Amino acid sequence: VAAAALAAALTATAAGRPKQQQRWASGLETRPEEAQTSFDAWAERLLASSPEIAEEVPCIDLASRTRERSGSVGFIFQTLFGKGPKIECIRMWRCQPPAPPREGLGVDEVPGVTELWVLLELGDELCGHPEFIHGGFLSALFDELFGWCAGMEREALGEKSAKIFTANLEVNYHRPVPKSSSYLVKCRVEKVVRQKKVYTSGGLFSSSGSLLTESTSLYVLTGLSQASQNRTVADRLPAP
């Protein structure tokens, strides 16, 4: 019975994966798994074929300014970044999110307005199992990028001084992530609840278009202004 239940669960997960991948299909190509794409070539392809890209985010410069202002060294964009065997290259773009849904949201929920695409080239000193990137690093990567999404959503709420904290992070590892390769992470804010709970989702893709890892999270904004607390859901809904 247990074996049959496990087999059914694996079948259901595999069946659902194409739907998840289709959701993020824009900007991806289905290619032979062994066909690797260099970081620069992939970046050029994204810029040429993805009209939803609105602007490039100078993430390294922004992280450096945060370090100068706070005196704290960022784990992903500073400790692990730089030419060599760790995170060798990063480019981040802000995209136009899909049209927000009009149905399926609660009375105190609004659709998110933030979507980020992040292209990374990973080296060979981030491994867990030999030849593959450590799952703990991938969790930290999603947490970091979701934090950028939540920060941009915070600005859209008019709450630049509010603090952001991770309340929940869930990661599903579909396939091993090989070292010394480039990957595209797509992440977006799904919804904001009561002006303070920010729900995000995202996926990490290979250059062949395969969904390797996906994640969801909940961020909480603290120290909201009184104006934000008094703002109604209708204030954030887009015009019909």
Side-chain angles (χ1 to χ4, degrees):
V1 175
L6 176 60
L10 292 174
T11 300
T13 299
R17 206 167 297 158
K19 294 181 181 179
Q20 297 162 347
Q21 191 153 339
Q22 179 63 32
R23 183 166 175 267
W24 297 99
S26 180
L28 298 171
E29 292 184 5
T30 301
R31 302 156 62 89
E33 199 62 44
E34 65 274 8
Q36 294 293 318
T37 300
S38 71
F39 180 90
D40 291 336
W42 197 348
E44 291 178 7
R45 191 176 78 215
L46 286 172
L47 291 171
S49 63
S50 305
E52 57 269 69
I53 291 179
E55 61 178 344
E56 183 156 3
V57 179
C59 52
I60 299 302
D61 289 344
L62 292 174
S64 296
R65 293 176 201 168
T66 299
R67 176 178 181 176
E68 292 172 0
R69 185 170 60 251
S70 68
S72 298
V73 178
F75 179 54
I76 296 295
F77 284 89
Q78 291 170 330
T79 300
L80 296 182
F81 175 74
K83 287 293 183 181
K86 297 175 183 176
I87 303 176
E88 299 185 1
C89 302
I90 302 177
R91 291 185 70 176
M92 178 187 290
W93 297 277
R94 189 167 186 167
C95 300
Q96 295 293 338
R102 291 289 184 175
E103 300 177 355
L105 294 175
V107 294
D108 57 355
E109 300 176 349
V110 293
V113 297
T114 304
E115 180 169 331
L116 292 177
W117 293 5
V118 183
L119 187 64
L120 308 102
E121 183 176 351
L122 304 181
D124 61 3
E125 287 193 4
L126 297 168
C127 295
H129 288 286
E131 305 300 323
F132 297 111
I133 299 299
H134 197 296
F137 166 78
L138 296 175
S139 294
L141 177 63
F142 275 111
D143 191 22
E144 175 76 19
L145 299 182
F146 287 154
W148 282 74
C149 284
M152 293 179 182
E153 199 74 18
R154 173 186 61 185
E155 293 187 5
L157 288 166
E159 289 292 338
K160 293 185 178 182
S161 62
K163 295 185 179 299
I164 308 169
F165 295 98
T166 310
N168 176 268
L169 179 71
E170 181 175 333
V171 182
N172 292 310
Y173 303 97
H174 296 310
R175 301 175 66 176
V177 177
K179 67 179 185 180
S180 303
S181 297
S182 296
Y183 299 97
L184 179 66
V185 179
K186 292 186 171 188
C187 47
R188 69 165 65 115
V189 174
E190 297 289 351
K191 63 181 179 180
V192 180
V193 180
R194 295 199 300 276
Q195 306 293 321
K196 64 180 181 179
K197 294 184 177 181
V198 182
Y199 289 85
T200 68
S201 68
L204 181 142
F205 297 86
S206 69
S207 60
S208 63
S210 296
L211 175 61
L212 305 181
T213 311
E214 64 178 336
S215 181
T216 59
S217 73
L218 165 61
Y219 278 75
V220 175
L221 305 183
T222 65
L224 295 173
S225 67
Q226 190 62 46
S228 179
Q229 295 179 44
N230 293 337
R231 191 178 297 132
T232 66
V233 170
D235 294 331
R236 282 209 67 204
L237 286 174

